[in-house]
Amino acid sequence: MLELNFATTARIVLRDGALDALPEIFGEFGVKHVALITDPGLVKAGLVAPVEKSLKAAGLAVTLYDGVQADPPTRIVLAAVDDLRAAGVDGVLGLGGGSAMDVAKLVAYLLKTPEPLEKIYGVDLAKGARLPLVLAPTTAGTGSEVTPISIVTTETDEKKGVVSRRLLPDVALLDPNLTLGLPAPVTAATGVDAMVHAIEAYTSKRLKNPLSDVLARQALALLSKNLPVVMKDGKDKDARGQMLLGSCLAGMAFANAPVAAVHALAYPLGGHFHVPHGLSNALMLLPVLRFNLAGAAPLYAELSEVVGGEEKSAEGFFKAIERIVGVCDMPKKLHELQIPRDILPKLAEDAMKQTRLLVNNPVEVTEPDALRLYEEAF
Ligand SMILES: NC(=O)c1ccc[n+]([C@@H]2O[C@H](COP(=O)([O-])OP(=O)(O)OC[C@H]3O[C@@H](n4cnc5c(N)ncnc54)[C@H](O)[C@@H]3O)[C@@H](O)[C@H]2O)c1
Ligand SMILES: CCCCCCO
């Protein structure tokens, strides 16, 4: 019996200059004072000042919080909540990659429903209201602008997720211009991350459904075609727009058919060594695809033609992904990041704690398997 229980962002706008709709959007919600949540890299890239200026020109008060850090530590979320509550904001704009957007989601929620973060880790435990929330991605990307998820890093370096439909924004604004200056290594890592979202959604053993399948296939078609293009020319605005759409569709897909072993093995790399999320997924992708080949062969064969595989087979799919990863400007092996080999057993042990992700993998992963996968990635 077919089943569907699909949730995503109510309104998604993709166009040149999409953020010029911000005053109208916040006006619809009666917002007078906007919290602009971003990170120092975005400020340095010159992407924040024009947005702040246009909001103020429209008569909105703006309080900037630009203290977001990658893989946001919980203390950053709480500091943002304290600063912005004191400022008296009544609406939130998240401008940045997944780190800034995830912080913005949690801040919008906690400002309206003050409760300990620990109380809402997990699925559907955040049941309160939130402030009006708009997200504008500048990487392509996590797809956070269309997922009910925020990922934080605890004081003990553990990645924790808050999964609640309350975290879905009211509006997602996608403007390719915001990604034109994305540095090549970040373009590569975030682009592969988006591909991983689509691949793992398509092969998820839990909650895979006809709608997530359609989204994952279209996401992969866009991402596999355009990632090599933007790697060659980051100023290709059309290709950047296709990447933003692809990562957005991939986000919708995995938000409804959850990710699996690539993410489970990537998390300890972020937790222990602060390897950027997209890169950690890219480093584990090929070993996990090879590990899954036999068990996921029919599904990988279906994806082969979507990604330009030379043959409609699992091997054809693997070779096509290997070729795309190969043209990406980023480290390809763990040893390039000075990760010591003797930590691999600890990484395998930690990866096995991500049971909520591992259960979605098309092939069961044991701790010895996890260790072998890290050795292959080394
Ligand atoms: N909520 C979700 O559904 C979801 C999904 C996947 C990942 N995540 C989380 O998202 C985070 C990773 O997000 P990310 O991969 O987008 O990276 P990021 O947000 O951490 O940004 C990476 C770096 O790129 C810079 N940057 C971003 N956009 C730029 C631009 N346009 N020009 C110049 N510099 C730019 C940032 O300043 C930062 O230094 C992790 O914390 C991960 O756990 C969340
Ligand atoms: C708990 C949900 C994990 C989502 C991972 C996206 O990087």
Side-chain angles (χ1 to χ4, degrees), residues 149 151 161 163 193 197 254 259 263 267 277 281 356-357:
I149 299 161
I151 309 285
V163 185
D193 184 31
H197 290 159
F254 95 79
V259 291
H263 276 76
Y267 275 168
H277 171 84
N281 278 282
R356 222 206 331 257
L357 303 183

Side-chain angles (χ1 to χ4, degrees), residues 39-42 45 47 70-72 96-100 102 105 138-139 142-144 147 149-151 159 178-179 181-183 186 190 193 197 254 267 277-278:
D39 71 38
L42 273 296
L47 294 174
D71 299 299
S99 296
D102 283 8
K105 290 158 121 171
T138 62
T139 64
T142 65
S144 177
T147 79
I149 299 161
S150 279
I151 309 285
K159 299 278 275 191
L178 295 178
T179 65
L182 197 60
V186 185
T190 52
D193 184 31
H197 290 159
F254 95 79
Y267 275 168
H277 171 84

Side-chain angles (χ1 to χ4, degrees), residues 21-57:
L22 278 168
E24 172 212 345
I25 292 166
F26 281 125
E28 280 169 24
F29 288 99
V31 171
K32 303 280 184 249
H33 188 167
V34 177
L36 203 178
I37 297 177
T38 189
D39 71 38
L42 273 296
V43 174
K44 189 160 166 255
L47 294 174
V48 177
V51 177
E52 188 175 1
K53 187 168 171 226
S54 73
L55 289 170
K56 287 180 175 173

